[in-house]
Amino acid sequence: AIRAGDEASFAELVARHERGMIRLALAYVGDLAAAEEVVQETWLAVVKGLKGFKQRSSFKTWLFSILMNQARKRAARRFKESSEGSWHAEDEDPTSELFDVAGEWRSKPPAWGSTPESELLAKEAIEQIHNAIASLPDKQRIVITLRDLESWTSEEVCDLMKITKTNQRVLL
């Protein structure tokens, strides 16, 4: 239907995948505005390349492959433009106040409730989790984003990333 120019089908496809696409692009580029631009560039590439889609993989895998390529290009450009590198070993470990040297919690985190204070703390915790995911190496960040945030199956992730199930478990 989309190849035939059905705009309603295309709009449905965008609505179905856009949130996940933004989340994955964000894992590469680090800020929402850039992630949204990557998603727009991806949809343009999809429209241009739709006639050439050979259906050797699922449409979802093809779509997210294009997204990953667009996001990698953007991330590489941003890294070249930036004079800052990534976190260095000599920098203070941001998790040192939460975990001991064995990787155990220093103190059990409080349960999340529904008071305004706890909701604010929950938002801050979610931000910290997203920051921690963003600090991971690319492949680990992508596997976690797809598996844990987007609920992709193991097979879908392996197919998209061209890795074995064993490699995926190691990355997780």
Side-chain angles (χ1 to χ4, degrees):
I2 295 168
R3 282 183 173 163
D6 183 353
E7 291 181 30
S9 294
F10 187 75
E12 181 183 326
L13 189 66
V14 170
R16 183 182 316 147
H17 293 293
E18 189 168 36
R19 185 180 59 87
M21 292 172 70
I22 289 172
R23 191 173 285 167
L24 183 58
L26 192 56
Y28 276 98
V29 298
D31 78 71
L32 185 59
E36 289 171 342
E37 288 177 13
V38 167
V39 170
Q40 288 177 351
E41 292 166 2
T42 300
W43 285 119
L44 289 173
V46 165
V47 169
K48 289 177 184 175
L50 193 57
K51 290 186 186 199
F53 175 50
K54 305 271 190 243
Q55 297 180 333
R56 289 186 210 133
S57 62
S58 72
F59 180 82
K60 180 177 168 181
T61 300
W62 181 69
L63 172 66
F64 277 81
S65 295
I66 294 170
L67 174 74
M68 287 174 54
N69 288 335
Q70 295 290 339
R72 281 187 197 118
K73 287 181 206 172
R74 174 64 64 97
R77 277 196 314 261
R78 291 185 76 183
F79 184 75
K80 286 179 185 176
E81 293 169 1
S82 170
S83 61
E84 295 180 25
S86 59
W87 180 78
H88 298 286
E90 64 271 7
D91 294 342
E92 181 183 335
D93 182 354
T95 63
S96 63
E97 61 193 47
L98 301 174
F99 303 102
D100 62 22
V101 291
E104 301 294 325
W105 286 98
R106 291 191 184 276
S107 62
K108 186 177 178 183
W112 293 358
S114 61
T115 66
E117 180 181 315
S118 64
E119 287 181 20
L120 177 62
L121 292 173
K123 285 181 183 178
E124 290 176 2
I126 289 169
E127 184 178 326
Q128 291 296 321
I129 291 167
H130 284 288
N131 289 341
I133 291 171
S135 71
L136 293 171
D138 288 347
K139 287 186 178 183
Q140 287 178 328
R141 186 173 60 242
I142 291 163
V143 170
I144 286 175
T145 298
L146 293 174
R147 288 288 309 270
D148 298 328
L149 301 178
E150 292 303 315
S151 303
W152 282 39
T153 66
S154 178
E155 292 78 22
E156 289 175 324
V157 174
C158 289
D159 187 33
L160 176 68
M161 295 185 69
K162 311 264 188 282
I163 59 175
T164 65
K165 287 183 180 183
T166 302
N167 192 0
Q168 180 184 219
R169 282 191 298 275
V170 168
L171 290 170
L172 282 172

